[in-house]
Amino acid sequence: MAEPIVITVQSGWRADFGRVFAVVAKDLTAERRTKANFNAVVAMSALILLMFGFALGADAEGLKNAAAGVLWLAILFSGVLAFNRSYQLELEAGALEQLMLYPGERWTLFVGKVLANLAFVFLVEIITVPLTGILYHVAFPEAWLQIVLVLILGTIGFVTLGTLYAAMSSRSRSREVLLPLLLFPMLVPVLLAASGATAALLVGDAMGDSRAWIRLLAAFDVIFLVGATWAFPYVMEG
Amino acid sequence: MAESTLQGGAMTQPMRATYRPLERPGKALWLTILTWVTPIGAIAAQLIWLTQSLPDRDMGDLQKIFYVHVPAAKTAFLAFAWVLVQSIRYLWKRDERADLQAASAAEVGAVMTGLTLAQGSIWGRPTWGVWWTWDARLTSTAVLFLVFIGYLALRGLTDDPEKRARWSAAVGILGALNVPIVYMSVKWWRTLHQPPSNSENLDPFYALGKQVNWLMFTLILVVCIAHRYRAHVAQRVYEMEQDEAALARRRTA
């Protein structure tokens, strides 16, 4: 007489939080063990900063004015490399299907992926942001706290959409082209608001432009978070 | 009795299979008539208003590009609104018809947006002196164009029809949501550049010309979407027949 197998599915916010945390821990552990991805992305962002520097020419004043825009482009271009990767490991191991079969809400998987990608991009920014300051002759700004806020808000918007679109593009043909093609037009509002706020804060925000930009950025974050979390189960099913 | 068992079997199938299957589209008289009437009407309207309306005081005959520029832009928005409606309908009902409607509307909408940009550029070169300026309206239109180019690329690069339908519905809805957001950003962004203004006190004949052309462009949109939709349905029916034939061959072998 075999014992019947009983599976208890826990529910409630505590169990949901546990699932989110498990996904974050799994992704970050996989990243920490290889480090190859992180090193490549940091090198890529440094390279983008240098290339823009060469293209813009060695005019100190011009570089300083371009710094905010170039920083955000470096973050977007290098970050996009990381998103497909975050599903790629599971696809190669055939583990994505299994992950989908686990009991519990699908959105916890999305939030976990978003948090892991956020942690990854923030780590990249810890190197990219000071490097931009050095290469583009930007003095340490007085409003550094607000700039950190803009970096956090901008990265949330970018990572949220990136994680959603990578769920599709990583499972289709020509994923290297498809992800930027889908993602970048959708990111235009985030790029505008984030680089606008950063530029205003770097040169000293006498007109108070940054407040409007930051509000706009926060609004986009809310819209994208709600929209992407809603869309994710549809994207992942089957 | 045999019939009732068959029905019982059909009832146990999952809900999403309950819509009627796709059929090869037959002849449609309304579409044949519209396909002939619309281009004739559109060309006639163009000829009448190009020759009969007076040239603008400042811009001369150049002003007359608005007979095709404004309707093209409005038609594109209409097409993307249709993508939104059909994408929501697909996720709700899981009817492949809705997906194919959204795809057709996205294709025609992308063409219309491209036309709008090209026409605006042709008008902008002699008027503003540049082919392109970083105006909020121009830029948001270009972004809209690229969002739906991405949508079409996603469709082209996904093989499984069910997966393609779900994904493109999600991208279509998010893309259409993005349109008013990008449009709103006019307020915060590059406030020095005003979007090109339209004077309210139009000559009645000129206003009528815009309305007639707007109607013609809407008809063009309907005709194009209908033809693309029927082509998509025919393609899907053909694919499914091929699949069934291959399956039947494997069974007999």
Side-chain angles (χ1 to χ4, degrees), chain B:
Chain B
M1 274 311 283
E3 265 183 30
S4 69
T5 2
L6 207 72
Q7 270 185 344
M11 290 293 276
T12 55
Q13 280 189 349
M15 277 296 285
R16 60 185 59 170
T18 51
Y19 56 76
R20 68 206 156 88
L22 288 178
E23 286 166 17
R24 207 179 283 276
K27 283 204 170 117
L29 187 64
W30 69 271
L31 188 58
T32 317
I33 294 171
L34 264 191
T35 308
W36 283 100
V37 166
T38 305
I40 295 170
I43 293 168
Q46 278 298 305
L47 283 179
I48 291 169
W49 267 277
L50 276 179
T51 54
Q52 298 304 309
S53 69
L54 293 171
D56 184 73
R57 190 185 58 194
D58 300 323
M59 285 180 275
D61 283 326
L62 194 58
Q63 174 66 38
K64 291 175 185 172
I65 201 168
F66 276 92
Y67 291 136
V68 285
H69 179 64
V70 178
K74 283 185 178 171
T75 311
F77 288 144
L78 211 63
F80 295 141
W82 194 238
V83 174
L84 178 69
V85 169
Q86 294 297 330
S87 298
I88 292 172
R89 194 179 133 221
Y90 176 79
L91 290 184
W92 189 18
K93 300 277 190 192
R94 300 299 167 123
D95 186 342
E96 196 173 3
R97 257 163 271 272
D99 171 58
L100 298 180
Q101 278 280 348
S104 315
E107 286 169 359
V108 184
V111 170
M112 285 297 178
T113 318
L115 260 180
T116 307
L117 288 168
Q119 290 164 350
S121 216
I122 292 166
W123 177 84
R125 181 70 183 92
T127 314
W128 293 341
V130 285
W131 291 108
W132 179 260
T133 177
W134 291 92
D135 174 83
R137 179 165 289 175
L138 268 65
T139 318
S140 59
T141 311
V143 167
L144 185 60
F145 182 58
L146 289 173
V147 165
F148 280 93
I149 292 294
Y151 174 95
L152 294 175
L154 176 71
R155 295 194 70 90
L157 294 172
T158 318
D159 297 322
D160 176 16
E162 205 266 329
K163 205 184 257 182
R164 178 176 63 209
R166 255 188 298 115
W167 289 0
S168 44
V171 171
I173 291 168
L174 286 177
L177 280 185
N178 197 43
V179 173
I181 298 174
V182 174
Y183 219 72
M184 287 270 280
S185 69
V186 173
K187 285 181 185 169
W188 287 277
W189 178 48
R190 299 253 175 172
T191 41
L192 283 176
H193 284 269
Q194 287 293 321
S197 54
N198 285 325
S199 57
E200 286 298 315
N201 46 354
L202 287 172
D203 180 73
F205 186 66
Y206 178 87
L208 183 68
K210 271 174 100 172
Q211 275 160 358
V212 168
N213 275 294
W214 162 223
L215 177 72
M216 287 302 152
F217 265 78
T218 312
L219 286 179
I220 291 172
L221 179 77
V222 171
V223 168
C224 288
I225 292 181
H227 277 295
R228 284 305 297 150
Y229 172 67
R230 289 158 66 83
H232 276 304
V233 171
Q235 166 99 26
R236 284 292 300 137
V237 171
Y238 171 76
E239 281 170 14
M240 284 189 279
E241 281 170 2
Q242 292 292 306
D243 288 352
E244 268 166 34
L247 215 66
R249 273 201 302 278
R250 195 175 295 174
R251 277 206 201 94
T252 50

Side-chain angles (χ1 to χ4, degrees), chain A residues 154-178:
Chain A
T155 310
I156 288 174
F158 162 54
V159 168
T160 308
L161 278 187
T163 309
L164 175 71
Y165 283 131
M168 292 178 261
S169 62
S170 64
R171 285 189 285 161
S172 50
R173 287 181 280 131
S174 312
R175 65 183 80 89
E176 296 83 2
V177 175
L178 192 56

Side-chain angles (χ1 to χ4, degrees), chain A residues 5 28 31 66 86 130 174 190 193 219 226:
Chain A
I5 300 167
L28 290 184
E31 192 50 54
S86 79
S174 312
V190 171
V226 172

Side-chain angles (χ1 to χ4, degrees), chain A residues 43-127:
Chain A
M44 182 72 185
S45 69
L47 204 56
I48 291 169
L49 288 175
L50 283 174
M51 298 298 266
F52 269 110
F54 292 137
L56 292 170
D59 163 32
E61 201 57 33
L63 285 181
K64 203 187 283 182
N65 290 333
V70 172
L71 169 68
W72 276 103
L73 281 182
I75 292 171
L76 296 193
F77 285 161
S78 58
V80 146
L81 297 175
F83 295 148
N84 270 332
R85 181 80 187 161
S86 79
Y87 294 95
Q88 202 55 35
L89 283 173
E90 277 147 8
L91 282 171
E92 278 166 12
L96 197 61
E97 309 294 316
Q98 253 174 319
L99 205 59
M100 301 298 297
L101 286 173
Y102 279 124
E105 300 281 341
R106 288 270 166 87
W107 63 262
T108 55
L109 186 58
F110 179 69
V111 175
K113 283 267 175 209
V114 167
L115 288 177
N117 283 336
L118 264 181
F120 183 86
V121 177
F122 281 143
L123 281 176
V124 175
E125 283 173 8
I126 286 177
I127 299 168

